[in-house]
């Protein structure tokens, strides 16, 4: 236990029962446990010995578990409102969660209050959230029978003999977990937006509907977050850029601004200011290529750590990437000739 004492319990005792034996007062703030560094539900049996840590509302991982459980609650509410909906994936993201859905009904912000109302009704029914394990082949057969094609496809990528799924009432979903012990802890949530998302991010796959939401342990934290979102909207560069006729965005160049004359004037002024300040501080300007080959990104470590977030293209049968930062190219400039200690410090900027 965290206080270095040892507690002996029969194999298969749940974490919830262990907490009751240790300090029942902690149950009200308990979210999950960590056993030998692995997160586990309160409702799941403990099947090995090890270092036991209780996660409470104060732990950073707890908010992620809350939001993951809330994603399942939202999916459950949507399935009750639109039973024909097929479920894809519902992970947590920074400051919230989303769920990708295949539904003939086109979701709009007008649907959000209806879904939230259903979620609140489900919370009042106090469903326990429970983890189960079954053979992967059995799970695939069950989901195929239900027509849940996305779950069946996900199962094809899993090599484990057994897979876990979670239930709450009649709802169940393929998931590793962990989750909260009961839906009654999900009280402060908000559905924020909806968007289109290709299944598995592949443009050749079907376009699904992605509903974004967030959740917190307290009403105050949720309200503060929603207020922050409203304040951010007032300062949204996309809105300001359009209002001031600085730039525009177009599907033909998704994510990249098309600079208008007024915007270009502003852009060049900022660049001139940056250039002037760097030169004044003794820096020399250089410029390195936007695209560099795979060998450099492997050497720099970007390939191993950030490959999923980089953009690649093939040139002369060699893989190249749009540079995520300048320093590897800057190091090649430095490496292009021998240096004397008299040159240091060498101060370049790009």
């Amino acid at each position: 236990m965290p206080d270095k004492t040892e507690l002996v319990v029969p194999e298969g005792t749940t974490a919830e029962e262990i907490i009751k034996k240790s300090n029942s007062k902690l149950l009200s703030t308990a979210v999950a446990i960590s056993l030998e560094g692995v997160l586990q539900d309160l409702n799941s049996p403990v099947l090995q010995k090890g270092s036991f840590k209780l996660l409470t509302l104060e732990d950073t991982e707890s908010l992620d578990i809350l939001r993951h459980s809330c994603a399942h609650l939202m999916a459950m509410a949507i399935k009750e409102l639109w039973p024909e909906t097929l479920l894809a994936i519902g992970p947590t993201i920074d400051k919230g969660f989303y769920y990708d859905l295949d539904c003939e009904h086109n979701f709009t912000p007008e649907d959000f209050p209806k879904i939230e109302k259903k979620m609140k009704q489900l919370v009042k029914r106090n469903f326990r959230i429970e983890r189960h394990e079954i053979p992967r082949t059995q799970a695939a057969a069950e989901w195929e029978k239900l027509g849940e094609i996305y779950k069946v496809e996900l199962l094809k990528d899993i090599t484990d003999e057994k897979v876990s799924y979670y239930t709450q009432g009649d709802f169940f979903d393929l998931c590793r977990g962990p989750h909260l012990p009961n839906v009654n802890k999900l009280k402060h949530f908000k559905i924020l937006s909806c968007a289109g998302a290709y299944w598995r991010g592949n443009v050749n796959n079907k376009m699904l509907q992605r509903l974004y939401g967030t959740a917190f342990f307290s009403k105050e934290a949720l309200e503060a977050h929603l207020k922050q979102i409203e304040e951010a909207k007032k300062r949204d560069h996309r809105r300001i850029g359009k209002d001031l006729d600085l730039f525009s965005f177009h599907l033909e160049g998704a994510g990249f601004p098309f600079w208008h004359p007024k915007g270009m004037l502003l852009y060049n002024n900022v660049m001139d200011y940056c250039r002037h300040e760097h030169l004044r501080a003794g820096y020399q300007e250089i410029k390195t290529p936007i695209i560099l080959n795979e060998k450099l990104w492997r050497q720099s470590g970007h390939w191993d750590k950030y490959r999923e977030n980089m953009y690649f293209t093939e040139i002369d049968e060699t893989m190249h990437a749009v540079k995520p930062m300048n320093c590897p190219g800057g190091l090649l400039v430095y490496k292009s000739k021998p240096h004397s200690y008299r040159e240091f410090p060498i101060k370049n900027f790009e």
Side-chain angles (χ1 to χ4, degrees):
M1 303 300 286
D3 63 359
K4 306 301 179 187
T5 59
E6 288 191 2
L7 184 66
V8 180
V9 296
E11 183 181 359
T13 303
T14 66
E16 201 169 37
E17 290 166 339
I18 292 174
I19 296 162
K20 281 179 184 175
K21 286 176 181 286
S22 173
N23 186 348
S24 59
K25 291 178 182 177
L26 293 174
L27 266 180
S28 60
T29 59
V31 173
I33 66 157
S34 169
L35 190 67
E36 285 297 293
V38 178
L39 297 181
Q40 184 177 318
D41 309 287
L42 295 177
N43 293 340
S44 297
V46 173
L47 301 174
Q48 68 176 73
K49 65 180 181 179
S51 178
F52 183 98
K53 181 192 171 187
L54 175 65
L55 270 69
T56 68
L57 308 181
E58 305 301 320
D59 291 283
T60 52
E61 301 99 328
S62 297
L63 200 53
D64 206 50
I65 294 168
L66 170 84
R67 288 167 176 166
H68 198 173
S69 301
C70 206
H72 278 218
L73 179 68
M74 183 176 75
M76 182 183 186
I78 289 168
K79 285 286 275 187
E80 290 213 0
L81 293 167
W82 295 278
E84 77 285 357
T85 304
L86 298 180
L87 305 177
I89 55 170
T92 58
I93 53 175
D94 184 36
K95 297 181 181 176
F97 60 87
Y98 69 79
Y99 214 112
D100 284 349
L101 309 153
D102 186 349
C103 182
E104 289 193 12
H105 174 79
N106 289 319
F107 294 107
T108 67
E110 285 69 40
D111 294 314
F112 299 171
K114 185 178 179 180
I115 299 168
E116 288 171 359
K117 183 180 178 182
K118 175 59 73 173
M119 290 169 73
K120 288 171 184 174
Q121 289 171 356
L122 294 171
V123 166
K124 288 178 181 175
R125 292 167 70 180
N126 285 340
F127 294 122
R128 277 177 72 81
I129 303 174
E130 297 179 312
R131 187 178 194 273
H132 310 268
E133 280 193 4
I134 55 173
R136 176 172 46 83
T137 51
Q138 184 186 336
E142 291 290 337
W143 264 291
E144 197 159 4
K145 202 184 298 179
L146 294 167
E148 292 284 359
I149 55 173
Y150 302 102
K151 300 297 181 185
V152 174
E153 189 174 329
L154 289 170
L155 283 164
K156 289 177 182 175
D157 294 338
I158 297 173
T159 54
D160 299 336
E161 287 300 312
K162 286 190 172 184
V163 295
S164 59
Y165 69 96
Y166 281 78
T167 60
Q168 49 198 53
D170 294 332
F171 177 82
F172 58 97
D173 199 357
L174 178 70
C175 189
R176 282 197 174 94
H179 284 278
L180 296 174
N182 195 299
V183 296
N184 62 19
K185 291 183 180 287
L186 300 166
K187 294 176 181 175
H188 311 290
F189 50 78
K190 188 75 176 171
I191 301 174
L192 300 171
S193 61
C194 53
Y198 290 109
W199 169 234
R200 296 195 147 185
N202 188 334
V203 293
N204 297 315
N205 289 337
K206 185 172 182 178
M207 173 77 80
L208 305 178
Q209 297 185 76
R210 177 172 293 179
L211 262 64
Y212 289 94
T214 192
F216 289 87
F217 283 111
S218 72
K219 182 182 177 182
E220 294 75 18
L222 176 62
E223 287 177 348
H225 179 69
L226 296 177
K227 185 179 179 182
Q228 192 176 42
I229 290 174
E230 287 305 311
E231 289 298 317
K233 283 179 183 176
K234 295 176 188 176
R235 297 162 177 77
D236 190 323
H237 68 278
R238 291 164 297 186
R239 185 185 65 78
I240 294 169
K242 185 178 179 182
D243 291 349
L244 299 178
D245 193 25
L246 303 177
F247 48 74
S248 56
F249 289 96
H250 304 274
L251 289 174
E252 291 82 356
F256 299 100
F258 288 70
W259 292 94
H260 298 191
K262 289 180 184 176
M264 205 62 212
L265 186 65
L266 178 65
Y267 184 99
N268 285 330
N269 268 280
V270 173
M271 291 295 284
D272 289 344
Y273 170 74
C274 290
R275 184 171 285 114
H276 175 266
E277 289 300 308
H278 276 88
L279 294 172
R280 193 167 67 88
Y283 286 82
Q284 300 178 98
E285 187 171 6
I286 62 170
K287 189 168 181 63
T288 61
I290 295 293
I291 296 175
L292 296 161
N293 76 25
E294 175 189 328
K295 182 184 175 184
L296 179 67
W297 302 119
R298 286 186 181 276
Q299 186 181 358
S300 69
H302 287 81
W303 182 272
D304 294 326
K305 294 183 180 179
Y306 307 112
R307 185 165 72 246
E308 289 180 3
N309 297 310
M310 291 169 67
Y311 295 91
F312 292 91
T313 185
E314 199 171 285
I315 302 172
D316 296 333
E317 299 180 354
T318 303
M319 194 63 75
H320 285 66
V322 176
K323 62 180 179 182
M325 53 171 55
N326 292 325
C327 46
L331 288 169
L332 291 178
V333 172
Y334 170 79
K335 188 181 172 184
S336 63
K337 66 175 184 178
H339 295 280
S340 163
Y341 71 91
R342 294 185 183 87
E343 294 176 72
F344 295 105
I346 296 172
K347 297 165 72 175
N348 292 339
F349 80 99
E350 183 164 5

